[in-house]
Amino acid sequence: MQLGMTFPRELPAPLVVDIAERLEAGGADELWVIEDCFFTTGVSLAATALAGTSRLVVGIGIMPAVARTAPMTAMEIATLCALAPGRLIAGIGHGVQEWMDQMGVRPASPVTALTEVITAVRALLRGERLTTDGDYVRLTDVALEYPPHPVPPVLAGVRGPKSLAAAGRCADGLVLAELSGPTAVRAAVATAAPAGPFSAAAFSVMSIADDRAEARRNVAPLVVDLVGAPPPGLRAAPFFDDLAALVARDGADGVVAAPDDWWVELGAIGTLDDAVAHISAMEAAGVSSLSFFPAPVADVALAQVDQFVGDVLPATR
């Protein structure tokens, strides 16, 4: 399993250089950059991170399918691959539909749009010439002048069952959001039901301290917020109903006191041994790429990057 960190959307864009360099120097495998409207673009961040490193793999999580045309998305990916062959993972997803609506590109059928876009992008990256007349992708004799070698994986950043099933048919794998623990990963891949090789990249939460309660207290407010509007990854946790009842009764204090086995599902949260247990469980669940979110504050994020490469990585290898 490849291990790395993500670059939160709230961090200033120039900081990606420092974080990428620290991760590469510390032996990390990957950096995932986040593209969310209306913060920073994943393509620009990825290009900058790739230019400042020589080995680090950079993932884009995720490019909204309809924010660019399929050929433009393929061109962006191919250009990055030409600059750093074999060091890019491309993530494409629906994007938040409210944001797509704001930009005037919200599709009537997000699943159909995503399927058509990923299918076309992967074909173009393979060097194929396309003429197609879909609902959302209409191309006439389109081919890339410089298709990438090797062809990068294109993963689908999706959540719902219809989207997961579509990803199993059209993508090389999945990108799963934070708080998608081992149980959620297994369920997502099973729903995708891919016919061939398939990878699962997952984002997770990291909070590590000598005092387990302190580490948990740092993320308890996030857990409380997400229980109120649970993403599919959290809802898939086998203890979700009990967690929701605990939050309703005791709030963040109740979360801090939650059973140890719950925390293995929630993230690398607690002591270093707790973090290693989470990483091992994610690998056993079939995760091929695991990256951790640092805090969205520059100085705290840099300290967590140093903690990741200084403590977490050596403990797993």
Side-chain angles (χ1 to χ4, degrees):
M1 183 170 64
Q2 304 298 291
L3 294 174
M5 296 198 75
T6 69
F7 187 80
R9 65 187 188 180
E10 297 89 350
L11 293 181
L15 196 65
V16 75
V17 176
D18 195 353
I19 287 180
E21 290 174 348
R22 292 186 190 210
L23 288 173
E24 177 158 279
D29 302 306
E30 297 178 350
L31 168 66
W32 281 78
V33 294
I34 306 302
E35 178 168 292
D36 273 349
C37 302
F38 299 94
F39 291 85
T40 49
T41 67
V43 173
S44 300
L45 290 172
T48 303
L50 290 167
T53 55
S54 61
R55 179 192 55 79
L56 194 69
V57 172
V58 176
I60 302 177
I62 58 160
M63 293 179 280
V66 294
R68 305 169 178 84
T69 65
M72 288 301 299
T73 297
M75 289 166 60
E76 298 273 30
I77 295 169
T79 301
L80 291 171
C81 291
L83 296 170
R87 294 206 287 134
L88 183 78
I89 303 172
I92 301 175
H94 297 305
V96 175
Q97 292 305 289
E98 181 181 352
W99 295 340
M100 301 304 105
D101 202 21
Q102 286 179 269
M103 297 190 293
V105 295
R106 182 171 185 166
S109 174
V111 174
T112 300
L114 181 71
T115 301
E116 290 185 3
V117 168
I118 291 182
T119 299
V121 167
R122 291 182 69 213
L124 291 169
L125 293 174
R126 292 192 299 266
E128 298 178 21
R129 184 173 295 276
L130 294 185
T131 295
T132 182
D133 186 23
D135 292 337
Y136 300 96
V137 178
R138 300 180 182 90
L139 306 176
T140 303
D141 197 31
V142 174
L144 297 182
E145 292 293 335
Y146 302 106
H149 301 284
V151 178
V154 178
L155 310 186
V158 293
R159 298 181 175 186
K162 291 182 180 179
S163 299
L164 289 167
R169 296 189 296 269
C170 72
D172 294 306
L174 298 173
V175 181
L176 300 172
E178 63 271 27
L179 295 186
S180 293
T183 301
V185 171
R186 290 189 180 94
V189 174
T191 302
F198 203 67
S199 61
F203 301 154
S204 194
V205 177
M206 188 180 89
S207 176
I208 301 172
D210 292 335
D211 181 355
R212 176 178 287 158
E214 176 188 345
R216 293 177 177 179
R217 196 171 293 112
N218 289 336
V219 298
L222 171 65
V223 175
V224 170
D225 287 345
L226 291 179
V227 164
L234 179 59
R235 186 175 286 280
F239 50 80
F240 175 75
D241 290 340
D242 292 334
L243 175 62
L246 184 65
V247 167
R249 186 180 69 242
D250 299 325
D253 289 339
V255 173
V256 174
D260 293 345
D261 59 324
W262 292 13
W263 290 96
V264 175
E265 288 272 346
L266 294 174
I269 303 163
T271 65
L272 181 58
D273 287 342
D274 294 329
V276 172
H278 171 71
I279 292 168
S280 297
M282 294 292 275
E283 184 170 22
V287 173
S288 54
S289 169
L290 180 62
S291 294
F292 296 99
F293 268 99
V297 180
D299 56 344
V300 180
L302 290 174
Q304 287 182 296
V305 169
D306 291 342
Q307 183 183 43
F308 173 73
V309 298
D311 297 331
V312 177
L313 280 181
T316 62
R317 296 177 172 174

